[in-house]
């Protein structure tokens, strides 16, 4: 059995001391949201408990599915890098960005370049200067292929949508086919849900139908996302068989405004006689103890030829 985990939407950075001139854009709206609500909802003590809880597991990979920041300021990218380094080495932690991380256009060297080692594929040797050239990413860990997609790109005010884009969609089928030929368990992870209609219009993935069509045709064993701060379990029917689509809540939330309390998932994967055995175990934050504890467990058999 191989194990890996997914955490999402930590919103770990602080906007204390931000200068007014840094907010002359869509970031002003994000700052208001942080000052009035998010700084009370997304708490550092919850993230500290998360880190303690993760230490007990031996994971093939830890996936962080976006929204590490609030408004994507350079200082937030630096704060997030420090947090990632505390979680583990770049080879052990795989990151994809979220819509908050790409709130407005930001110079590459001051933002995503700082996370490059945590976002890059195993074989990456060049220095890409955009998310569309860095992704899809591929990390192979034993019998598991982790394929990351970026949905992060600047959008107009009041919009939290994401887009994968043609460049990534054109490269995704080959990655899925190659991993399938190797007999690997294929995990596709992205920030927004790939299911059309799953999110509100202003928070949707604009090309969700195209992403779902690729997965339907070329298959995968598991699709993971965040973004909605809620737990969801859905399925896609592909030509290779059923594909679970799982969303996790924010990893730092107290659940003060109707969203789920902080939680993350640990996954166990084992090859069976006719496919794969997948075990999904939630780790839920307990406000009364200040620690994470085991939550619901689901076992799924994925029949594969």
């Amino acid at each position: 059995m191989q194990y890996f985990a997914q955490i999402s939407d930590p919103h770990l950075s602080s906007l204390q001391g931000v200068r007014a001139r840094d907010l002359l854009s869509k970031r002003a709206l994000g700052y208001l949201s942080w000052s009035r609500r998010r700084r009370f909802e997304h708490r550092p003590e919850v993230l500290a408990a998360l880190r303690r809880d993760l230490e007990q597991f031996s994971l093939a990979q830890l996936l962080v599915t976006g929204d590490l920041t609030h408004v994507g300021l350079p200082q937030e990218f630096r704060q997030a890098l420090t947090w990632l380094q505390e979680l583990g080495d770049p080879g052990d932690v795989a990151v994809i960005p979220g819509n908050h991380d790409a709130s407005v256009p930001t110079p590459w060297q001051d933002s995503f370049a700082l996370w490059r080692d945590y976002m890059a594929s195993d074989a990456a040797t060049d220095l890409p200067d955009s998310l569309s050239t860095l992704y899809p990413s591929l990390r192979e860990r034993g019998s598991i292929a982790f394929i990351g997609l970026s949905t992060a790109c600047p959008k107009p005010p009041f919009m939290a949508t994401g887009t994968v884009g043609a460049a990534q969609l054109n490269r995704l089928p080959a990655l899925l086919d190659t991993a399938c030929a190797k007999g690997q368990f294929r995990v596709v992870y992205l920030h927004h849900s790939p299911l059309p209609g799953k999110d509100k219009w202003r928070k949707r993935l604009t090309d969700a139908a195209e992403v779902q069509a690729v997965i339907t045709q070329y298959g995968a064993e598991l699709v993971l996302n965040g973004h909605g701060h809620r737990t969801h379990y859905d399925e896609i029917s592909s030509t290779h068989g059923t594909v679970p689509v799982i969303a996790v809540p924010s990893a730092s939330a107290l659940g003060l405004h109707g969203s789920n309390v902080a939680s993350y998932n640990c996954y166990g994967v084992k090859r069976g006689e006719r496919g794969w055995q997948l075990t999904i175990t939630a780790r839920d934050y307990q406000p009364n103890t200040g620690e994470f504890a085991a939550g619901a467990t689901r076992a799924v058999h994925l029949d594969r030829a």
Side-chain angles (χ1 to χ4, degrees):
M1 182 84 74
Q2 278 191 274
Y3 296 94
F4 61 96
Q6 177 203 5
I7 63 178
S8 196
D9 299 80
H11 292 285
L12 64 98
S13 56
S14 171
L15 294 179
Q16 292 179 347
V18 169
R19 299 167 297 182
R21 68 186 184 188
D22 293 328
L23 303 173
L24 298 177
S25 64
K26 179 183 175 182
R27 285 178 173 145
L29 297 172
Y31 178 81
L32 288 175
S33 175
W34 173 82
S35 62
R36 294 177 178 178
R37 181 169 64 90
R38 288 186 182 272
R39 64 192 176 107
F40 305 108
E41 170 75 346
H42 301 285
R43 301 298 304 163
E45 61 268 24
V46 180
L47 289 176
L50 169 70
R51 182 183 170 192
R52 292 192 297 270
D53 199 63
L54 285 168
E55 289 176 350
Q56 67 184 292
F57 299 108
S58 179
L59 301 174
Q61 194 79 166
L62 173 62
L63 306 177
V64 184
T65 51
D67 280 359
L68 285 70
T69 73
H70 291 285
V71 298
L73 283 167
Q75 70 181 55
E76 293 184 276
F77 278 90
R78 294 191 293 270
Q79 293 171 15
L81 176 60
T82 299
W83 180 75
L84 289 171
Q85 291 169 336
E86 293 171 350
L87 281 184
D89 295 330
D92 299 324
V93 182
V95 175
I96 53 169
N99 55 287
H100 281 264
D101 306 320
S103 180
V104 301
T106 305
W108 178 258
Q109 292 302 321
D110 295 332
S111 56
F112 295 109
L114 299 175
W115 302 350
R116 179 188 178 276
D117 291 345
Y118 286 92
M119 298 190 297
S121 300
D122 289 331
T125 57
D126 57 349
L127 295 173
D129 59 0
S130 72
L131 295 175
S132 62
T133 55
L134 187 62
Y135 292 98
S137 61
L138 172 64
R139 295 187 174 199
E140 297 176 280
R141 301 291 182 268
S143 61
I144 305 176
F146 295 98
I147 301 171
L149 296 173
S150 172
T151 64
C153 49
K155 299 290 185 177
F158 302 106
M159 298 298 288
T161 53
T163 302
V164 173
Q168 293 186 77
L169 285 170
N170 289 339
R171 295 193 292 268
L172 179 58
L175 293 176
L176 294 171
D177 267 352
T178 300
C180 181
K182 291 181 178 181
Q184 293 174 319
F185 186 96
R186 299 164 294 174
V187 180
V188 177
Y189 58 106
L190 67 169
H191 181 66
H192 292 76
S193 172
L195 301 176
K198 196 67 178 179
D199 292 320
K200 295 179 180 178
W201 185 83
R202 72 175 193 90
K203 295 185 177 183
R204 75 195 191 285
L205 183 65
T206 61
D207 49 3
E210 290 84 347
V211 176
Q212 182 173 345
V214 171
I215 294 171
T216 298
Q217 180 176 353
Y218 295 92
E221 278 59 63
L222 182 62
V223 178
L224 304 177
N225 69 274
H227 186 51
H229 297 195
R230 291 183 179 277
T231 299
H232 289 290
Y233 180 94
D234 297 281
E235 293 180 344
I236 294 174
S237 295
S238 80
T239 56
H240 292 224
T242 299
V243 182
V245 181
I246 300 174
V248 295
S250 164
S252 63
L254 290 178
L256 301 179
H257 304 282
S259 297
N260 293 162
V261 176
S263 182
Y264 72 97
N265 281 347
C266 284
Y267 303 91
V269 173
K270 182 180 180 180
R271 195 186 302 275
E273 292 183 3
R274 291 183 51 83
W276 298 93
Q277 297 292 337
L278 171 66
T279 303
I280 309 152
T281 302
R283 301 289 301 177
D284 301 331
Y285 182 68
Q286 310 294 315
N288 58 324
T289 65
E291 300 293 340
F292 282 77
T297 296
R298 180 194 293 258
V300 180
H301 173 72
L302 300 176
D303 195 13
R304 295 293 187 267

